[in-house]
Amino acid sequence: MIATIRKAWAIPELRKKIVFTALVLLIFRIGNAIPVPYVDTKLLSTYIDQLSTTVLGLYNVMSGGAFANATVFALGVQPYINSSIIIQLLTMAIPALERLARDGGEEGKKKIQSITRYATIGIAVLQGYGYYMLMKNYGILTASGVWSALVIIMSFIAGSAFVMWMGEQITEFGIGNGISMILFAGILSRVPTTINAMISGLRAGTFKWWMVLLIVVGVLALIVLITWVNGAERRIPVQYAKRQVGRKMYGGQASTLPMKVNMSGVLPIIFAQSLAMLPATVAAFFPTPKEGTFAYGLLKAIDTKSVLYMIIYLLLIIGFSYFYSTIQFNPVEVSNNLKKNGGFIPGFRPGKPTADFIRKVLNKVTLFGAIYLGVVAICPLIIGKAVNMANLGIGGTSVIIVVGVALETVQALESQMLMRQYKGFLE
């Protein structure tokens, strides 16, 4: 990765893109350090730390700690990610949006992008208001009234809109996917805090050396596994029939239809984690029940360190993996496209037999991808239970995002370098 960045730096055009991306990420980090007015940030930080194993803790990690400090970028990229997923689902449900995405071309993509932006603002309004009410109900605000509410909520909305705009600027003028890069920068900024907490724990005696060693080895093993599986794919052989147009002969060549093992990325883990943490999040807003009562037993059963939580979490990951793979890869559509272009899979007739075979392969590949995501998500929880760190599961999700974005960025750099440095056959 370092060698790729060094080579890219030698190309003036790519150097400008790298500098532009770095400057935008610097602005994002500065915005993460500017708190909104009328909020007691110390009290809020203490409160969010107590909820580290809930959805609010997940939001805090995704925002790079901005959520716990109520900064102008506290909502981060969450409204945009939620908006993108909602619009993607609606594209399948609403025929007009489906036609716009399929047949609209570049103009259709722009319209869907515009709808996504408006939906992002709408979600930011709801989340900003909910965040304000949370702080108000727990006495975290230093001032009350309509004016303070308006300033706080509008600051969150404006910050979310600005983060979305910065992400789009990186995508257009920088390196890689902008939203992913911002998410990457936010999560990576938490690494020094985590390392400092481990060192403090070692000095205080609350953390043993074997615990630190177990966490480090676990993280390195996750990085190796993620890197190995990220590029894994199942290639289905495809043959194109020969056809003559005028005096020219077309087709006749062999190709492959690639299917990535981890087709849905990290989204199944994020959604499964959010749903699995929902009962614990709701319980956190109520008084702790007395020991020995049914409510206390239920609370322990849904705790993020319990076996029941891990089983539900794993099943949700598998379910969401299948759900996202069916959204992203439609066997019937792929079969029809092959038929239109004169392509066929050897041993299967075009049409329904081809679609059935592709669906069968897709289900097998998705199963392996889901098991991989499940292992990556559950292992940090098991290690966290061993070292008594409840929020280590969120750390596992962070590792997947960081490694995935790093690999995608390196691939983007390599493809752009290949485009600019290709010498051809005659040189």
Side-chain angles (χ1 to χ4, degrees), residues 63-237:
S63 66
F67 192 82
N69 295 314
T71 67
V72 289
F73 292 161
L75 298 182
V77 295
Q78 288 297 326
Y80 184 83
I81 292 173
N82 294 337
S83 171
S84 300
I85 293 168
I86 290 168
I87 298 302
Q88 191 178 19
L89 294 175
L90 288 177
T91 301
M92 293 181 60
I94 302 174
L97 280 176
E98 188 180 0
R99 286 194 300 270
L100 192 64
R102 190 179 64 246
D103 307 323
E106 194 63 33
E107 193 63 31
K109 287 181 181 178
K110 287 181 180 178
K111 286 182 180 178
I112 288 177
Q113 186 65 27
S114 179
I115 293 169
T116 305
R117 289 193 194 103
Y118 286 120
T120 300
I121 300 299
I123 292 172
V125 171
L126 294 175
Q127 288 188 351
Y129 177 74
Y131 193 18
Y132 165 77
M133 292 304 296
L134 175 72
M135 292 187 291
K136 182 183 177 183
N137 291 339
Y138 282 88
I140 296 170
L141 301 178
T142 57
S144 59
V146 178
W147 173 249
S148 61
L150 191 64
V151 168
I152 292 170
I153 295 170
M154 290 304 294
S155 296
F156 289 147
I157 296 168
S160 180
F162 190 64
V163 168
M164 175 181 64
W165 179 82
M166 285 194 297
E168 290 178 350
Q169 297 307 301
I170 291 176
T171 303
E172 190 172 353
F173 302 110
I175 299 293
N177 183 285
I179 298 299
S180 298
M181 288 298 291
I182 288 173
L183 194 59
F184 172 85
I187 293 171
L188 210 61
S189 67
R190 299 278 296 173
V191 173
T193 307
T194 306
I195 294 172
N196 188 45
M198 285 185 182
I199 294 171
S200 301
L202 281 171
R203 287 175 179 171
T206 56
F207 226 58
K208 305 297 182 184
W209 66 268
W210 64 267
M211 293 180 178
V212 176
L213 184 64
L214 186 63
I215 292 171
V216 171
V217 171
V219 169
L220 291 176
L222 278 181
I223 291 172
V224 171
L225 179 63
I226 294 163
T227 306
W228 181 57
V229 176
N230 191 71
E233 60 184 21
R234 166 74 158 88
R235 296 173 183 173
I236 300 175

